[in-house]
Amino acid sequence: MQRQLAHLPAPLTWQLSQRDPDFYFHELYLSVSAIPRVVVAVGSQVQGWGPGIFYSPTNRIFPETLFTTAQREPIRRRMVAVNVELLPEMTLFVMGARADDSDWGAEEPLRSYFASSRLEYQSQGEFPFTLGAVAGGGERFQPHGGLYFEILLSDAWTVGTEFSTSKGYSRKRDLNFGPPGLFLHEDAWGYDGLINVRYGLSSGGEIGAEVGVNEFALSGSAQEQLPTLYPLLLAGTSAGIGIHPFLDKRYALVHGRFPDLPPGKRVTLSTSLMYTNPSDSLIAAGELSFSYDSFKGFVSLALNFGPESSVQRFPFERFVRVGLSFTH
């Protein structure tokens, strides 16, 4: 019997913004494998999957899949995760988690529980592909199901798609986080999904394009009240009440990631340009990161162009973030 203990990935991140510096462990958990082909992990973790560039429609607790260092650090969640290797090419993933970032003893409106299961199949044939099916739901999330698929067409070209569906997105949303009618399809079946294509570079970087649609976007009446509602949306996201990560209906995105730049192949440039509709916004973002041994520093910049009241521009017109992380 093989036993593995104390798998504790614990990157310590420090970020400087207009607020005071913030220190936190990005992940801190214990992983145990006491049974062959079964791994149990307990603690603060991030679970990601799917081919999405902008976000993951089937991953409602960790939808962030963006391309910069800062954006690839979604809020960790306290959870128990179990991975079972059913076949060499097929794995079952099950997790139960707190979807909020509140203290353990937080009051009812600030607590949110979530569970999901995922079955993933990986083929290594002439055209390697990954196919996954996901089902989940929670105290504040409607039950949902979805699929994702990614296939390698050649040494460089990859095509992927991902979508999910549910009857509404959030469930039993407390009125402290917004009135009824805040989002489209609150009590009706809807879906969100994406399709993308990527070209892999010899340096390990990539260039990609993606289009997506979201039927759980902010409603027209809510957009008119955005200055009032936006603080509620931020608080609701932290409380894990089931707010879609993309407030608009449609988007088109191009992005690139270029590693191994001088000096010493330690610099990576990431950049993207995204158009969203119907808010008619254009978002340009970029990041320079520098790594040395266990340390990584980055500077990221985002610019937002569009109507002043649009769901994309209202949160920020210009956003700069500087950070330093240490991984042990």
Side-chain angles (χ1 to χ4, degrees):
M1 179 181 297
Q2 183 180 11
R3 187 174 182 86
Q4 296 176 353
L5 295 175
H7 179 200
L8 299 172
L12 179 63
T13 299
W14 175 75
Q15 295 183 1
L16 176 64
S17 63
Q18 293 180 347
R19 301 171 297 178
D20 294 332
D22 183 22
F23 296 86
Y24 60 90
F25 285 105
H26 182 48
E27 290 187 282
L28 184 61
Y29 63 89
L30 177 67
S31 178
V32 179
S33 179
I35 303 174
R37 297 186 294 276
V38 177
V39 179
V40 179
V42 181
S44 297
Q45 306 171 55
V46 174
Q47 297 277 336
W49 61 79
I53 297 174
F54 176 59
Y55 80 107
S56 173
T58 63
N59 191 347
R60 296 196 173 181
I61 190 173
F62 298 111
E64 304 91 340
T65 58
L66 291 167
F67 63 95
T68 69
T69 300
Q71 293 166 329
R72 281 199 306 270
E73 293 185 355
I75 300 173
R76 65 278 183 206
R77 303 300 189 190
R78 292 155 290 185
M79 70 170 65
V80 176
V82 181
N83 302 348
V84 182
E85 184 183 305
L86 303 177
L87 298 170
E89 61 277 348
M90 182 181 295
T91 305
L92 174 66
F93 303 86
V94 180
M95 71 172 173
R98 279 279 295 267
D100 61 275
D101 197 34
S102 305
D103 295 334
W104 280 108
E107 297 180 357
E108 178 65 23
L110 300 178
R111 294 202 310 266
S112 175
Y113 298 95
F114 182 88
S116 74
S117 60
R118 175 169 59 98
L119 188 64
E120 184 175 281
Y121 177 84
Q122 294 185 345
S123 170
Q124 301 297 326
E126 181 180 359
F127 297 100
F129 69 84
T130 298
L131 173 65
V134 182
E139 187 178 14
R140 309 294 183 188
F141 293 81
Q142 291 287 6
H144 63 276
L147 297 171
Y148 59 91
F149 177 75
E150 187 174 36
I151 184 169
L152 183 64
L153 299 179
S154 70
D155 291 340
W157 290 99
T158 303
V159 174
T161 185
E162 183 174 359
F163 71 90
S164 69
T165 183
S166 61
K167 190 175 183 180
Y169 197 87
S170 62
R171 179 172 178 263
K172 297 181 180 179
R173 188 177 70 247
D174 191 279
L175 295 180
N176 290 323
F177 301 116
L182 189 62
F183 301 100
L184 300 175
H185 292 83
E186 284 198 340
D187 299 307
W189 284 96
Y191 70 92
D192 61 338
L194 57 87
I195 184 171
N196 59 40
V197 59
R198 305 168 186 254
Y199 180 80
L201 305 175
S202 59
S203 62
E206 69 173 22
I207 300 172
E210 180 174 278
V211 294
V213 61
N214 171 34
E215 291 195 330
F216 305 109
L218 207 64
S219 66
S221 60
Q223 291 187 33
E224 297 175 358
Q225 307 172 55
L226 192 59
T228 302
L229 292 174
Y230 192 71
L232 302 181
L233 297 176
L234 286 179
T237 300
S238 177
I241 67 163
I243 293 179
H244 198 280
F246 179 58
L247 298 180
D248 228 331
K249 295 180 181 178
R250 293 170 290 272
Y251 71 88
L253 167 76
V254 292
H255 98 108
R257 184 172 58 85
F258 309 97
D260 296 340
L261 300 178
K265 294 187 176 182
R266 297 182 180 276
V267 176
T268 298
L269 170 66
S270 301
T271 182
S272 75
L273 187 65
M274 182 170 74
Y275 172 76
T276 70
N277 179 269
S279 70
D280 197 28
S281 296
L282 188 66
I283 304 171
E287 178 192 271
L288 277 175
S289 62
F290 176 85
S291 60
Y292 183 79
D293 292 337
S294 299
F295 291 90
K296 184 176 184 179
F298 64 88
V299 178
S300 59
L301 170 68
L303 303 175
N304 203 328
F305 307 93
E308 291 185 1
S309 60
S310 75
V311 295
Q312 301 302 326
R313 186 175 179 185
F314 178 79
F316 66 89
E317 293 185 29
R318 293 171 297 276
F319 182 83
V320 179
R321 173 174 288 176
V322 179
L324 177 66
S325 63
F326 170 76
T327 301
H328 177 66

